[in-house]
Amino acid sequence: MTYEILIRRRASKQLADLPLKDYERVKRSIATLADNPRPKGCLKLTGRAGWRIRVGDYRVIYEVDDPNRTVTVLDIGNRRDIYN
């Protein structure tokens, strides 16, 4: 059974602002979260709610709601800026 992917407006804008090559890679990575919301290499965040996956120099921050089977993408950004 797959999870529904929800992308917050802020994350959607951040995704749209990425260079085309990176946009495609991040978009594909987000889509894979529907089948496996906790893929190999993901980390549970400390000091902030959610999980994160790496996509090159970018990070995708998201929350998983197992009872409702949803993944909500909260933030997308460069690794040097995303945790601030």
Side-chain angles (χ1 to χ4, degrees):
M1 184 181 274
T2 61
Y3 283 68
E4 179 182 5
I5 303 291
L6 305 172
I7 301 178
R8 291 224 171 139
R9 182 176 298 204
R10 176 173 150 173
S12 181
K13 289 179 181 180
Q14 293 166 332
L15 180 62
D17 289 341
L18 296 179
L20 184 59
K21 179 183 81 164
D22 297 321
Y23 170 85
E24 293 297 331
R25 287 182 63 204
V26 171
K27 187 176 168 186
R28 276 195 307 271
S29 294
I30 291 171
T32 64
L33 294 174
D35 294 324
N36 183 7
R38 295 177 188 90
K40 182 179 177 188
C42 76
L43 289 179
K44 177 101 171 93
L45 297 177
T46 57
R48 170 179 186 171
W51 295 80
R52 80 106 169 112
I53 56 170
R54 290 176 40 186
V55 185
D57 285 339
Y58 295 93
R59 302 297 182 263
V60 177
I61 308 295
Y62 62 97
E63 291 180 336
V64 179
D65 182 1
D66 289 313
N68 294 322
R69 308 220 28 105
T70 61
V71 172
T72 304
V73 178
L74 305 173
D75 283 307
I76 301 168
N78 191 290
R79 64 190 176 107
R80 69 177 177 263
D81 303 323
I82 196 72
Y83 301 111
N84 296 332

